[in-house]
Amino acid sequence: MNHSRAILTLAWREILRFLRQRNRVIGAVGQPVLFWLLFGAGLESTFRLGESGQSFRDYYFPGSFMLILLFTAIFTSISIIEDRKEGFLQSVLVSPVPRWGIVLGKVLGGTTLALLQGLLFLSFLFFTEMRPGLFEIGQLIFLAGIAAFGMTSLGFVLAWRLDSTQGFHAIMNLLLMPMWLLSGAFFPIPSLENGSFLLHWIMRCNPMSYAVSGVRQQMDGSFLTADLAADYWFPSLSLCWAVTILFSLLMFSWAWKTSSRRVQGDLR
Amino acid sequence: MMPINTADEQAAIQIQKVHYRYGSRHALVDLDLVLPLGKIVAFLGPNGSGKSTLFRLLSTLIPLQDGSISVLGQRLPQNVLSLRKMLGILFQSPSLDKKLTVRENLLFQASFYSLSQREASRRVANTIEEFHLGPYKDDYVEKLSGGWQRRVELAKVLLHRPKLLLLDEPSTGIDPQARIELWQILRRLNQATGLSVILTTHLLEEAEKADQIVLLNEGKVVANDTPKNLRQTLGNEILTIETQHPKQLQRNIEEKFSLPTTLLRQSIRIEHTKGHHLVSTLVETFGDEIDSIQLGKPTLEDLFIQKTGASFRAD
């Protein structure tokens, strides 16, 4: 049995529902844009990255981009809780679509939305000093898509186990915001020699650090100068790709496994 | 797991020694049941009788713990995906996407059953016509009344032409007129296409409309027959006596007339072949103690009381 139509339908449904709730667009894009503008302006005079002299506004841009992906991916996952509450999920669970297909449909929908909003924000790139070529932009979008896929899958895992959107927001504040803050999005990962041992390893073990760094390197490959490499730790671009792909695959597998669990909400 | 030895081709459902627990609570207890194809069967029982658990098992929402179940010749859980293609499932709680239109809901449902684009469009158009949904097809579901939403749900679960329709408390949340229409649709489909229908209900009057009733209590089948045959098993007339001191009057009646009685919700119930004669005798003997006395034909509730000794409705 070919499940591609069911998967695409589930993905399209996410997009359709999103477009019919326009306040979600404002929530997902508005806040990171506001943060970027305010932090960028406020910290412009105090932050300068090594001899490359990258301004905070430019440094923070990839971080804001990833924050949009994260927000959208996670907010999309809330729809699982809503679907369960509204009873829609129950009817999907007893359809002939296998669980992996249900997960893939939901995650693809979330990924597409995250990426579309990320692309909207990417147009602000012209207000920075970063000038990536078309090839780099293509790679950046691809990498961002993989990262968004992983983050939506992670959101799926969290949402599947919860029965309230309030609980989901609590988890988000407790887990996902620190995950983003400690990804090098807001400040670079200190080297072992120049920074805290604990902070270095927490940030280094954070899979989002690799997505952020990868996006940053695709946006501006020239920012990484020799003096920066001594003070801060930046993973290589190939490592960023490898870790991001691995993270996404693991998260999807986890989401698939989680979806085979029954939760009380399915038995209403 | 007990094997199903002979696959009865005329059976819609074969259940053998099915036992289901929620922690220490036993929802189904060694249940054996065979249900025929092409009939409308009602699972009737009070809350906690096990009908919802049975529905969830048959709809493949929860896995089997003990025993064996075969639905439309497909054994669970091995053939679950093939079976789901043949089932239409209407849950008690609504399952429509309220942010989508009626037509979108139907088209989305079609995609879950691998219908081609052309076939899906054709069936959706036919279904909209058949269920008289034309004026509402482009309305968001959230704008429809409860009765119309239920109608859309029924249209949705029939879109892929299932062989067996499972309905969980189908009359919940709809007005009497919508209930009548729902039953008209079910009966028409059953007669025209031979669609097998299994529904759960706690409404006696709804169960009476089915071809067959499976009466459940505490996870066991207490009766299984046509509504007519079930009522005939009682045969008697039912006397219901209201009094200020039911226990005392019950004892007095049993001692005086050696009659078996049942005390339910502070009323004394007596089954008797000549109930109308007994009324005058009881009034003459215990007139001062009796507040009211009622004579009636036996109902499914009386059958339930006879089989279980308990009231159908919660006290």
Side-chain angles (χ1 to χ4, degrees):
Chain A
M1 192 170 173
N2 182 3
H3 300 293
S4 56
R5 280 202 66 219
I7 292 164
L8 291 175
T9 298
L10 283 168
W12 173 239
R13 178 176 166 268
E14 294 298 319
I15 297 163
L16 206 57
R17 280 174 65 92
F18 181 83
L19 294 174
R20 287 175 186 173
Q21 299 169 73
R22 287 184 189 150
N23 52 342
R24 281 175 64 187
V25 185
I26 298 162
V29 180
Q31 192 181 359
V33 170
L34 201 65
F35 277 13
W36 177 63
L37 290 172
L38 293 179
F39 283 123
L43 296 171
E44 185 74 26
S45 57
T46 53
F47 181 98
R48 202 144 289 273
L49 196 64
E51 286 176 8
S52 71
Q54 194 178 35
S55 68
F56 186 74
R57 201 183 51 190
D58 285 10
Y59 177 81
Y60 186 44
F61 191 83
S64 299
F65 176 71
M66 288 307 292
L67 186 61
I68 286 174
L69 294 191
L70 180 69
F71 267 27
T72 315
I74 297 307
F75 279 135
T76 308
S77 308
I78 290 179
S79 73
I80 292 161
I81 300 171
E82 289 168 353
D83 284 352
R84 181 172 278 129
K85 274 188 174 173
E86 290 169 9
F88 179 80
L89 188 64
Q90 212 173 28
S91 68
V92 179
L93 292 178
V94 295
S95 74
V97 185
R99 290 297 161 95
W100 65 262
I102 296 170
V103 180
L104 188 59
K106 297 287 286 183
V107 171
L108 275 181
T111 304
T112 309
L113 284 173
L115 211 51
L116 286 174
Q117 291 184 74
L119 287 177
L120 206 65
F121 180 71
L122 214 55
S123 59
F124 285 87
L125 200 60
F126 292 105
F127 297 102
T128 70
E129 288 172 11
M130 296 182 282
R131 292 288 178 267
L134 277 178
F135 182 68
E136 282 75 25
I137 289 179
Q139 282 191 317
L140 184 157
I141 293 168
F142 197 50
L143 181 65
I146 295 167
F149 188 84
M151 287 186 283
T152 317
S153 300
L154 175 61
F156 186 101
V157 172
L158 299 173
W160 191 266
R161 295 150 189 253
L162 297 170
D163 57 6
S164 80
T165 49
Q166 289 93 335
F168 193 82
H169 282 291
I171 295 280
M172 192 173 148
N173 286 332
L174 197 72
L175 178 76
L176 300 172
M177 282 307 282
M179 195 173 161
W180 172 78
L181 277 170
L182 296 171
S183 67
F186 205 67
F187 54 87
I189 303 172
S191 67
L192 265 177
E193 295 75 27
N194 290 336
S196 152
F197 175 85
L198 191 64
L199 187 65
H200 172 87
W201 278 107
I202 287 174
M203 293 178 80
R204 200 166 164 171
C205 293
N206 179 0
M208 198 180 281
S209 300
Y210 298 84
V212 170
S213 187
V215 165
R216 188 186 307 287
Q217 290 177 58
Q218 296 289 1
M219 282 182 184
D220 184 8
S222 64
F223 88 98
L224 193 56
T225 55
D227 66 308
L228 278 184
D231 292 337
Y232 305 106
W233 184 81
F234 289 100
S236 68
L237 188 57
S238 53
L239 184 62
C240 292
W241 275 91
V243 172
T244 307
I245 291 169
L246 188 67
F247 169 72
S248 293
L249 287 175
L250 283 175
M251 288 303 107
F252 180 74
S253 308
W254 193 15
W256 179 7
K257 192 168 186 294
T258 304
S259 71
S260 59
R261 283 188 187 182
R262 266 158 301 281
V263 297
Q264 198 55 38
D266 295 332
L267 306 181
R268 288 181 307 144
Chain B
M1 191 180 283
M2 290 285 290
I4 291 174
N5 296 322
T6 52
D8 185 351
E9 291 185 359
Q10 294 306 305
I13 286 168
Q14 286 181 282
I15 296 170
Q16 281 184 359
K17 298 282 176 215
V18 166
H19 202 106
Y20 199 92
R21 298 170 207 84
Y22 295 103
S24 59
R25 190 172 71 81
H26 296 260
L28 295 175
V29 184
D30 294 333
L31 200 78
D32 287 308
L33 193 61
V34 178
L35 299 175
L37 273 171
K39 301 278 183 197
I40 300 181
V41 180
F43 290 159
L44 176 68
N47 290 336
S49 60
K51 60 185 190 303
S52 290
T53 301
L54 192 52
F55 177 85
R56 288 167 189 165
L57 280 170
L58 296 176
S59 63
T60 72
L61 197 61
I62 55 175
L64 206 54
Q65 288 177 347
D66 285 310
S68 58
I69 294 182
S70 175
V71 183
L72 299 170
Q74 305 289 323
R75 190 179 288 193
L76 291 176
Q78 291 92 331
N79 303 329
V80 68
L81 288 182
S82 342
L83 172 61
R84 283 176 180 167
K85 282 186 255 176
M86 297 190 270
L87 296 181
I89 303 166
L90 186 76
F91 291 101
Q92 185 178 351
S93 50
S95 65
L96 296 168
D97 188 331
K98 294 188 170 68
K99 296 281 175 209
L100 301 182
T101 65
V102 169
R103 193 166 179 278
E104 284 167 345
N105 267 286
L106 295 176
L107 280 170
F108 279 22
Q109 176 79 357
S111 76
F112 297 150
Y113 291 84
S114 295
L115 299 180
S116 68
Q117 188 81 46
R118 181 184 288 186
E119 180 62 10
S121 299
R122 196 180 63 79
R123 284 205 200 174
V124 167
N126 288 346
T127 303
I128 285 172
E129 194 182 323
E130 193 181 345
F131 284 81
H132 310 294
L133 296 168
Y136 309 106
K137 68 177 191 290
D138 295 319
D139 287 357
Y140 290 128
V141 166
E142 64 190 357
K143 291 184 178 167
L144 301 183
S145 68
W148 278 101
Q149 285 190 17
R150 208 64 173 153
R151 187 184 276 249
V152 176
E153 288 215 53
L154 189 61
K156 183 182 122 170
V157 301
L158 289 166
L159 194 73
H160 62 283
R161 294 180 187 153
K163 290 180 180 166
L164 172 63
L165 184 61
L166 295 166
L167 307 109
D168 192 12
E169 303 279 359
S171 297
T172 301
I174 59 173
D175 58 51
Q177 183 57 34
R179 275 184 201 184
I180 292 168
E181 286 173 6
L182 176 78
W183 270 93
Q184 282 171 344
I185 293 169
L186 290 180
R187 190 53 76 186
R188 177 167 52 81
L189 286 166
N190 170 255
Q191 285 170 353
T193 66
L195 175 74
S196 305
V197 180
I198 293 175
L199 61 101
T200 70
T201 184
H202 65 280
L203 303 173
L204 299 159
E205 61 275 20
E206 182 159 82
E208 298 231 28
K209 292 175 188 163
D211 298 323
Q212 186 173 332
I213 297 174
V214 177
L215 199 55
L216 290 160
N217 187 48
E218 294 179 350
K220 294 174 189 163
V221 175
V222 292
N224 177 13
D225 212 330
T226 63
K228 189 180 169 190
N229 286 348
L230 287 174
R231 273 194 304 272
Q232 280 177 350
T233 56
L234 283 169
N236 295 332
E237 291 171 323
I238 306 292
L239 284 170
T240 308
I241 303 164
E242 302 288 339
T243 174
Q244 297 293 318
H245 307 288
K247 282 183 183 165
Q248 188 187 323
L249 182 60
Q250 183 190 25
R251 197 167 50 246
N252 292 343
I253 293 170
E254 285 182 353
E255 282 172 6
K256 180 86 179 170
F257 300 107
S258 302
L259 281 173
T261 65
T262 316
L263 189 64
L264 280 167
R265 296 195 298 269
Q266 301 301 304
S267 300
I268 302 161
R269 297 170 76 90
I270 305 169
E271 283 177 40
H272 201 273
T273 46
K274 291 182 178 171
H276 52 287
H277 291 311
L278 190 60
V279 172
S280 55
T281 313
L282 285 169
V283 171
E284 279 168 20
T285 316
F286 302 110
D288 294 343
E289 296 171 59
I290 294 171
D291 291 343
S292 71
I293 187 161
Q294 194 181 339
L295 177 69
K297 290 284 179 194
T299 64
L300 286 173
E301 185 174 21
D302 295 310
L303 177 74
F304 186 83
I305 291 163
Q306 189 207 50
K307 296 278 183 186
T308 66
S311 171
F312 191 82
R313 295 178 180 86
D315 286 332

